């Protein structure tokens, strides 16, 4: 698929027709509060929808309750096993590469800065972590799973942000495009898939081509369930590289919001890491994974750990050798990775379950006052 500035410009003007229409009608009928109250504890797939749910919401939930018909379940199982094998590394990449990459796109940082006006800044990281963990469960798409309801609610959450920002004139659509537009949704999909794989490669993690492709495929399925137009989504990792390169060249740069969000991220993880001795490793990991130029734009501090972090691939290589040669070692490392991910998520959520709800106002909720190892995988060559 060929991506050009003109084709991406068209995506900047497009939202999510189904979710946008659903949210608009809920607001027009004054039924947002009813929806949030009734759906708060509907958190598993296949659970009966509560009585009194607005008809438009019921129709939306029925229309989006199943994954796309084209899903290859064998590929999804490969993705799940890839996640289990690399969960702690994936969590590291999501935290210290994917989120900072969002912040280095000024209009995305401007939008995301709204959601960090909540009671504690870990909410977005907690939501992202919980969403990913739900996705990679064995029963993610079966009755009783938590992933499908989460995807349905996140899609409406995005639509509600578009609704508020455009209706209340908090967003310069002519300059910045539609908030959470198709281009940005695909860009986010790249940050959580291809950029994660890039980061694992930079950390020295051994990945098979099959595993990397399966992980990317899983996020294509996620994108479809979040309302991304599949006719415009990169199908392969090579196409994904071309899209991401063009997207970043079009939009990346420094911003006050990006620097502030990054500071919140660093402060958050320095609180999570016990003691203070290892605090600088947070900044060092971000700088190592996103590069000096982007790190400077985000005002990531330089630390004495910047050089130390470069030895991480060698340490991980030793651990992977143990994993390859010892079934018991592999089991122990997988369990350690799982427990580390659970502990990190527990720290971020502070013991809470993250409920994805439609914000009835942005000012109140968002703080807006104006604005299997075979061939080793190697990243596609940059196109720019």
């Amino acid at each position: 698929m060929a991506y050009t500035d003109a084709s991406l410009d068209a995506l900047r003007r497009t939202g999510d027709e189904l979710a946008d229409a659903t949210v608009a009608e809920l607001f027009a009928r004054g039924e947002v509060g009813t929806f949030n109250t009734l759906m708060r504890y509907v958190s598993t797939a296949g659970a009966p929808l509560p009585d009194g749910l607005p008809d438009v919401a019921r129709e939306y939930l029925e229309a989006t309750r199943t994954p796309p018909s084209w899903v290859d379940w064998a590929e999804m199982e490969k993705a799940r096993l890839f996640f289990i094998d690399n969960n702690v590394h994936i969590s590291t990449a999501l935290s210290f590469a994917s989120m900072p990459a969002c912040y280095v796109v000024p209009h995305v940082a401007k939008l995301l800065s709204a959601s960090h006006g909540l009671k504690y800044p870990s909410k977005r990281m907690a939501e992202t972590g919980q969403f990913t963990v739900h996705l990679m469960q064995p029963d993610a798409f079966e009755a009783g799973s938590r992933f499908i309801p989460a995807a349905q609610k996140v899609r409406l959450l995005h639509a509600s942000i578009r609704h508020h920002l455009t209706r209340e004139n908090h967003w310069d659509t002519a300059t910045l495009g539609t908030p959470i537009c198709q281009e940005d949704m695909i860009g986010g999909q790249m940050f959580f898939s291809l950029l994660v794989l890039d980061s694992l490669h930079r950390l020295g993690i051994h990945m098979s081509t099959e595993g990397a492709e399966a992980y990317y495929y899983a996020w294509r399925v996620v994108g479809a369930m979040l309302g991304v137009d599949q006719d415009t989504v990169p199908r392969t990792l090579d196409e994904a590289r071309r899209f991401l390169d063009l997207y970043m060249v079009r939009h990346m740069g420094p911003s006050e919001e990006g620097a502030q969000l990054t500071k919140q991220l660093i402060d958050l993880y320095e609180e999570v890491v016990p003691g203070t001795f290892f605090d600088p490793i947070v900044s060092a990991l971000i700088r190592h994974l996103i590069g000096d130029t982007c790190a400077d734009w985000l005002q990531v501090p330089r630390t004495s750990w910047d050089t130390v972090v470069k030895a991480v691939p060698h340490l991980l290589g030793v651990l992977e050798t143990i994993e390859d040669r010892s079934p018991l070692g592999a089991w122990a490392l997988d369990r350690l990775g799982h427990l580390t991910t659970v502990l990190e998520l527990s720290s971020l959520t502070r013991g809470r379950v993250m409920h994805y709800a439609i914000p009835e106002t942005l000012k109140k909720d968002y703080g807006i006052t104006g604005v299997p190892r075979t061939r080793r995988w190697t990243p596609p060559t940059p196109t720019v």
Side-chain angles (χ1 to χ4, degrees):
M1 182 179 296
Y3 293 103
T4 64
D5 283 316
S7 66
L8 267 58
D9 284 341
L11 295 175
R12 289 212 64 65
R13 299 188 293 272
T14 309
D16 175 357
E17 185 176 349
L18 174 60
D20 289 343
T22 301
V23 165
E25 187 164 346
L26 285 172
F27 273 101
R29 294 175 176 269
E31 296 177 323
V32 173
T34 300
F35 173 84
N36 284 340
T37 299
L38 293 176
M39 289 298 294
R40 182 172 178 80
Y41 298 106
V42 178
S43 58
T44 57
L49 297 178
D51 294 336
L53 195 67
D55 289 342
V56 64
R58 186 177 296 274
E59 292 167 4
Y60 163 83
L61 293 168
E62 289 292 338
T64 58
R65 66 184 177 85
T66 57
S69 59
W70 47 263
V71 173
D72 182 335
W73 295 108
E75 199 71 6
M76 292 298 289
E77 178 62 10
K78 290 180 187 177
R80 188 181 71 84
L81 295 175
F82 179 85
F83 179 80
I84 290 173
D85 196 34
N86 297 286
N87 54 8
V88 69
H89 309 314
I90 290 171
S91 295
T92 298
L94 287 170
S95 301
F96 304 131
S98 298
M99 293 308 297
C102 294
Y103 304 158
V104 88
V105 178
H107 72 268
V108 173
K110 183 179 181 68
L111 189 150
L112 290 178
S113 66
S115 67
H116 284 257
L118 294 155
K119 292 181 180 178
Y120 58 100
S122 57
K123 185 174 189 293
R124 182 164 296 277
M125 288 305 306
E127 288 177 340
T128 302
Q130 181 176 272
F131 187 80
T132 305
V133 169
H134 289 341
L135 167 64
M136 292 303 171
Q137 296 302 307
D139 61 350
F141 296 93
E142 299 174 7
S145 81
R146 293 181 177 272
F147 171 69
I148 290 178
Q152 291 174 306
K153 294 176 185 179
V154 167
R155 188 171 175 180
L156 291 180
L157 171 61
H158 290 168
S160 69
I161 293 173
R162 281 191 295 271
H163 176 85
H164 282 302
L165 289 176
T166 53
R167 187 187 66 174
E168 298 174 12
N169 296 319
H170 287 314
W171 193 256
D172 184 355
T173 303
T175 302
L176 302 175
T178 299
I180 316 184
C181 61
Q182 287 288 325
E183 184 193 17
D184 289 333
M185 285 195 285
I186 299 173
Q189 189 175 320
M190 298 302 103
F191 290 153
F192 293 121
S193 57
L194 178 58
L195 190 57
V196 165
L197 295 172
D198 284 343
S199 298
L200 266 58
H201 178 75
R202 192 169 181 81
L203 289 170
I205 303 303
H206 289 243
M207 295 173 284
S208 69
T209 298
E210 293 86 346
E213 289 174 345
Y215 181 78
Y216 178 74
Y217 181 87
W219 279 96
R220 279 185 54 210
V221 174
V222 172
M225 299 191 70
L226 292 180
V228 180
D229 180 0
Q230 290 304 293
D231 290 336
T232 61
V233 172
R235 299 294 181 92
T236 67
L237 285 166
D238 287 329
E239 288 182 359
R241 172 67 69 219
R242 290 194 291 271
F243 180 96
L244 184 58
D245 285 351
L246 179 57
Y247 179 80
M248 295 304 284
V249 167
R250 280 166 58 87
H251 298 301
M252 66 180 180
S255 69
E256 181 180 341
E257 292 89 351
Q260 179 60 31
L261 289 171
T262 304
K263 183 179 185 303
Q264 287 184 337
L265 177 70
I266 293 171
D267 290 347
L268 168 65
Y269 274 96
E270 286 182 351
E271 288 180 12
V272 171
V273 175
T276 59
F277 179 76
F278 292 105
D279 282 356
I281 200 171
V282 176
S283 297
L285 269 173
I286 294 174
R287 184 169 287 277
H288 179 64
L289 293 177
I290 69 173
D292 285 335
T293 297
C294 290
D296 288 343
W297 282 341
L298 296 177
Q299 299 178 24
V300 177
R302 292 182 181 272
T303 75
S304 57
W305 284 80
D306 291 353
T307 301
V308 177
V309 161
K310 294 178 181 178
V312 167
H314 302 293
L315 173 61
L316 294 177
V318 172
L319 294 177
E320 286 199 324
T321 299
I322 296 172
E323 188 174 14
D324 288 342
R325 296 180 179 179
S326 167
L328 179 61
W331 175 85
L333 289 172
D334 284 346
R335 288 301 301 163
L336 178 61
H338 171 73
L339 291 172
T340 301
T341 301
V342 169
L343 176 62
E344 179 185 16
L345 185 58
S346 176
S347 298
L348 292 174
T349 61
R350 301 185 182 181
R352 309 179 189 184
V353 174
M354 307 310 296
H355 293 286
Y356 309 94
I358 298 176
E360 295 193 57
T361 65
L362 283 183
K363 185 174 182 181
K364 176 182 176 183
D365 293 340
Y366 283 78
I368 287 184
T369 56
V371 289
R373 298 189 182 97
T374 52
R375 294 172 290 133
R376 182 173 179 177
W377 180 78
T378 55
T381 304
T383 60
V384 180

